[in-house]
Amino acid sequence: MNQTLLILGDTNIQNREDPFSAFVNVRDMLSSADVVFGQLEGPLAEPSVDPTRPDIPHKAGWRHSGAKVGPALKKAGYVGVSCASNVAHPASAAVASVKALDSVGILHCGVGETLAEARQPVVIEKNGVRFGFLSYTSVFWPSNHAASANSPGCATIKAHAAYEPGPRALEMPGAEPITHTFADPVELQAMQEDVRSLRTKVDLVILSCHWGVSSKDEPVAYQREIARAAIEAGADMVFGHHPHVVQAAEIYRNKPVFYSLGNFAFDWDVMRGRHLDGLALRCSISGTAIVGIELMPVRRNEHNDICVHGADTSAGREILGRFKELSQKIGSAIALSGGNRLTLNPAGKLDVAAA
């Protein structure tokens, strides 16, 4: 039986009298999917009312979304969400958020009372197909953030950075260094173990990764390292978030990797009027395989409400054109040729057809 999986980027709802109003223009897209899964970039912990005790002390102006957003997400059609992120902090707020999700029946992964719980997948069975999701963050603070064997927090894949003097450092003091990034081998292996374990229990394994550099539209090296390691372990698809802008995609071993889908619904005041664009992924499932992905350009309007734009509209062409340019820049074989649908075939080649 053919069905549709809809994957959404960063979702943050706050400062609305009616939280569901964020989705008023995308109801048809959401309701047309059999399964809706997205990244929750706004913990449902209650925001602080004491200005001397901010929700995240090191993140000026940040406010958690509050439990009242949960019913709006449920009404919008979210079946599951990935929760590991740099704003699932402190650990107490991360745990409060998943309890709020539990209260409305939205499945979640990436956060837990212990590391073992944070590493637990979401498994959704729909029309005989078992979808498995895992969630990790590589963007996190060194205290009260990552889960441990006996303490709450996020599932993490730690990344490291090393800095090499640039080629003109001797000539020009202060010149930009060359940055090298790489995944922590122990945590990378742990993720692969999670993928292999989940692979035996479901038909499709999808990895959700909070990673990269805010506002940077090119993936850094460790993102590609993690994505490829996941697929080598058995993942069918990897999608990323956190940069708040659309990044490139590539096909690795005939499996799609989207390095950043950009923002979906996003209300945080600091993001008003910034980083308006994103991609929603409408994945066609035939049997137990992803056989096609429709790239659906999205952009927030003057009211900060998310809207879908066709591939033949000005906004759609702009978003897809930028996506194509970025993908080609990293050597990706993806070429949209004026359309917005990727077709994956069993021969391991990427076909492109107009939507």
Side-chain angles (χ1 to χ4, degrees):
M1 180 178 181
N2 294 337
Q3 55 185 311
T4 301
L5 164 67
L6 185 65
I7 294 182
L8 306 173
D10 285 319
T11 300
N12 173 291
I13 309 298
Q14 56 182 275
N15 300 324
R16 289 177 182 261
E17 187 173 329
D18 175 12
F20 182 72
S21 66
F23 305 107
V24 66
N25 297 312
V26 292
R27 286 176 292 186
D28 289 346
M29 179 183 74
L30 294 168
S31 63
S32 68
D34 295 291
V35 175
V36 177
F37 188 92
Q39 165 66 12
L40 183 61
E41 177 75 343
L44 305 191
E46 296 307 317
S48 172
V49 295
D50 181 355
T52 67
R53 301 185 65 184
D55 290 339
I56 301 180
H58 53 262
K59 196 171 181 69
W62 177 265
R63 287 178 60 80
H64 294 321
S65 294
K68 72 176 185 178
V69 171
L73 295 173
K74 184 72 172 181
K75 183 179 178 182
Y78 283 73
V79 178
V81 291
S82 49
C83 296
S85 79
N86 61 308
V87 295
H89 181 82
S92 57
V95 170
S97 181
V98 298
K99 288 181 178 178
L101 291 167
D102 286 338
S103 72
V104 294
I106 296 178
L107 301 173
H108 50 82
C109 52
V111 163
E113 296 274 9
T114 64
L115 178 58
E117 188 175 307
R119 288 171 61 182
Q120 284 296 304
V122 159
V123 177
I124 300 167
E125 185 165 353
K126 187 73 173 181
N127 299 324
V129 178
R130 293 166 299 169
F131 299 87
F133 299 87
L134 290 162
S135 168
Y136 306 89
T137 184
S138 298
V139 188
F140 62 97
W141 284 81
S143 62
N144 201 20
H145 203 155
S148 73
N150 301 303
S151 63
C154 293
T156 63
I157 306 174
K158 186 186 301 181
H160 302 282
Y163 302 94
E164 175 187 354
R168 301 186 68 184
L170 291 177
E171 167 204 0
M172 187 166 55
E176 292 289 334
I178 301 168
T179 303
H180 303 276
T181 66
F182 54 97
D184 182 86
V186 173
E187 296 204 350
L188 189 68
Q189 182 177 352
M191 175 274 288
Q192 289 186 299
E193 291 170 359
D194 291 344
V195 171
R196 292 188 187 103
S197 175
L198 183 57
R199 176 79 275 166
T200 66
K201 301 169 186 173
V202 299
D203 300 302
L204 290 167
V205 175
I206 299 170
L207 205 72
S208 173
C209 294
H210 209 67
W211 58 10
V213 181
S214 290
S215 303
K216 184 179 177 67
D217 57 15
E218 294 182 32
V220 290
Y222 82 82
Q223 293 174 253
R224 303 187 77 177
E225 180 187 7
I226 290 172
R228 294 182 174 203
I231 288 172
E232 289 166 6
D236 295 285
M237 181 178 184
V238 178
F239 77 97
H241 27 81
H242 172 70
H244 300 295
V245 294
V246 173
Q247 290 187 342
E250 65 178 335
I251 305 300
Y252 181 65
R253 296 189 176 183
N254 204 40
K255 307 296 183 183
V257 177
F258 289 84
Y259 285 104
S260 175
L261 298 183
N263 289 333
F264 188 59
F266 216 94
D267 281 333
W268 184 33
D269 285 344
V270 174
M271 204 63 69
R272 289 271 176 163
R274 298 175 59 232
H275 301 332
L276 302 177
D277 296 346
L279 288 174
L281 305 179
R282 185 178 174 87
C283 306
S284 299
I285 313 298
S286 179
T288 59
I290 300 173
V291 296
I293 303 175
E294 184 180 359
L295 280 63
M296 307 183 72
V298 294
R299 174 174 286 175
R300 304 197 313 280
N301 65 15
E302 66 274 15
H303 305 295
N304 208 50
D305 297 330
I306 194 68
C307 301
V308 185
H309 295 269
D312 58 349
T313 66
S314 175
R317 286 192 298 270
E318 182 181 340
I319 295 168
L320 291 169
R322 181 62 176 155
F323 166 80
K324 176 182 175 181
E325 176 187 334
L326 292 169
S327 298
Q328 291 174 336
K329 195 170 183 178
I330 67 166
S332 171
I334 290 176
L336 296 178
S337 301
N340 64 333
R341 186 182 297 276
L342 307 181
T343 303
L344 299 170
N345 65 42
K349 295 180 180 179
L350 175 67
D351 297 328
V352 182

